[in-house]
Amino acid sequence: MMQNVHLAPETDEDDLYSGYNDYNPIYDIEELENDAAFQQAVRTSHGRRPPSKTSLASSIGRPMTGAIQDGVTRPMTAVRAAGFTKAALRGSAFDPLSQSRGPAPPLEAKKKDSPEEKIKQLEKEVNELVEESCIANSCGDLKLALEKAKDAGRKERVLVRQREQVTTPENINLDLTYSVLFNLASQYSVNEMYAEALNTYQVIVKNKMFSNAGILKMNMGNIYLKQRNYSKAIKFYRMALDQVSSVNNQMRIKIMQNIGVTFIQADREKMKKAFQKLIAVPLEIDEDKYISPSDDPHTNLVTEAIKNDHLRQMEHERRAMAEKYIMTSAKLIAPVIETSFAAGYDWCVEVVKASQYVELANDLEINKAVTYLRQKDYNQGKDFAQASSYADIAVNSDRYNPAALTNKGNTVFANGDYEKAAEFYKEALRNDSSCTEALYNIGLTYEKLNRLDEALDCFLKLHAILRNSAEVLYQIANIYELMENPSQAIEWLMQVVSVIPTDPQVLSKLGELYDREGDKSQAFQYYYESYRYFPCNIEVIEWLGAYYIDTQFWEKAIQYFERASLIQPTQVKWQLMVASCFRRSGNYQKALDTYKDTHRKFPENVECLRFLVRLCTDLGLKDAQEYARKLKRLEKMKEIREQRIKSGRDGSGGSRGKREGSASSDSGQNYSASSKGERLNARLRALPGTNEPYESSSNKEIDASYVDPLGPQIERPKTAAKKRIDEDDFADEELGDDLLPE
């Protein structure tokens, strides 16, 4: 008895290890031989019965592992989660593969007629219709796109009704509904069915279930803008702007841009309405009272008396003032009321033709043509067929009118028939010897016919009439140049400079003549003055750069060639000139960087690679081998191209020789161009360097034009030499064989 008695420890603390030796006496195997119940269970089937709940109770109140308490089996291991039960397996045999249950039952077939399947099928059809509508729109078939969008809308409504019958309204596919409505509105808009598009957009915007639908008000604003309803367009743009958060700055900027465009369009409409109101103002002038209705002498005397009285003069002033206001208004609004000034003038002309000021329509047409001429769009400003027909009408109506004969000569001159044009100008001068337009134009005609003495005589006579006419003075100088008398040409050009001292073309022409005479200092002075007034003339920039190279001021030449590279960024020659100037000035690192930058921009330029190979080799850089490989590959490709071109030209050699022969015969007529090219090549040959050419595309010649004060019928004099540097000019210009100074 005492061995089972445990004394409490002297301390008041609980023993942490107490109770571990306590166990249920049922697990005492030493007493199993004396346990009658156990022995009986071993000998009989008594042990197969489920144990009683009371026999398995622990002496400490904790259920034993595997024991059943309250219908729940305690887990057999500590790994299994507490609370896990398999009540269905209690008492069953061990069958981990579930072989005793037999094969699994077959899968249930989907019911095609079930509401869920019908809804899914409808959703698929709606999506397909939306996609087909978008594809048709992208292909340009707007009608088909609209039909598909309508079909998608009808099926989507059927889908919504079926879904409401099966499920709750919260389960409706809002994304599909939104896409269908948005596509339908877009198709209405592109088909110019603006009312239907606005109604569809309203359905989307008013539905609070669509998030961020307010941005579609911008589309509604676009529709109102197309309808010229500018107030509503601005209203919806501003509503859309309020819907966009400040985070999306790009969208806000676009909406504000639309608002600005709408304000401009609204101003255009206001200008048009104001012009129409101005046209509709009545003059209250009765022109019929100045026409005698009968042969009554008394009435005729009264009519003659009032034709020039103070009231009539006041009416004339009133009409002149009205016409002035109308013409001024048309000139002001025509360039801005439409997409182009031509369309604006056309609108003004149509409005004027429908008013009481029909005669002003012709004046507006003339103003339109003059505007084309000021913009140097001569093809639009001149209609030679119409001009010729009207000139014939004018000559037939009055054969002795010098203006009509001059205009007829101008139409013939434009067609290239100079002999016939001269006859019309002569006839105009016979009718009126003081017709300066005819005298000027006949001088131009003789110049075209290479009858320089007669042309000079005409312009000298005209100079006696118009002493300070810059155009006449220039033409005289031009004829002296064609007659190979540069000193006289310079003298007359100096008179032009005294009249217009800031004309850059005249100054550059003087520089060219002095350069031809060998006076470099005077040539530099006038070229520099021309550059100062107009720093974008590539010919003047080129001459100044070459002048500084000739005088070995490399640093000053660089600034001109850099400007040329800015004006013509696609021309490699200017950047090669800059690099060459750096190299000649001793700045090899800057030259190397410029050549590398040029190679990045023009990777197929052979000359740039040649300079890079030389410079890298002389400077001992490792990049020389890489550039050498690139150079070899490019030279091989160039050789192959040249062989192909040569083989293609072999068959057309005979005809080409004939064309070259005719071209050479024609080139003799233009003294200034040929001599100028020879002088340019001579000047560039004088520069120290090798004979390796730069590859560059030839420059397009710029033919500046001018509207003469004497009228559009007078040809504009050529005020600048056509000087250009192309591949032939650069053939002897190479800027240095030895990259380092000797």
Side-chain angles (χ1 to χ4, degrees), residues 503-517:
D503 190 332
Q505 302 294 343
V506 175
L507 293 171
S508 64
K509 185 66 176 178
L510 272 171
E512 179 188 343
L513 291 174
Y514 276 116
D515 182 34
R516 189 184 305 172
E517 292 295 302

Side-chain angles (χ1 to χ4, degrees), residues 105-155:
L107 297 175
E108 295 183 0
K110 293 184 179 180
K111 297 180 180 180
K112 296 183 179 179
D113 297 335
S114 64
E116 291 80 5
E117 289 299 321
K118 289 182 179 179
I119 289 173
K120 290 181 179 179
Q121 185 63 27
L122 271 176
E123 283 186 352
K124 183 179 179 181
E125 292 177 0
V126 171
N127 282 317
E128 289 177 353
L129 286 172
V130 172
E131 291 178 1
E132 292 174 0
S133 175
C134 296
I135 293 172
N137 184 292
S138 63
C139 295
D141 194 347
L142 302 181
K143 292 184 178 179
L144 179 61
L146 180 59
E147 292 299 326
K148 295 291 184 181
K150 289 180 179 179
D151 293 342
R154 286 191 289 267
K155 289 198 173 184

Side-chain angles (χ1 to χ4, degrees), residues 45 148 231 366 374 407 487 493 501 681 705:
S45 61
K148 295 291 184 181
S231 60
I366 293 174
R374 288 175 180 171
N407 289 333
S487 60
L493 281 177
N681 286 333
S705 51

Side-chain angles (χ1 to χ4, degrees), residues 162 301 488 517:
Q162 290 190 4
L301 288 174
Q488 284 292 326
E517 292 295 302

Side-chain angles (χ1 to χ4, degrees), residues 391-404:
D392 290 335
I393 294 173
V395 171
N396 293 332
S397 62
D398 187 0
R399 185 69 186 184
Y400 300 99
N401 189 331

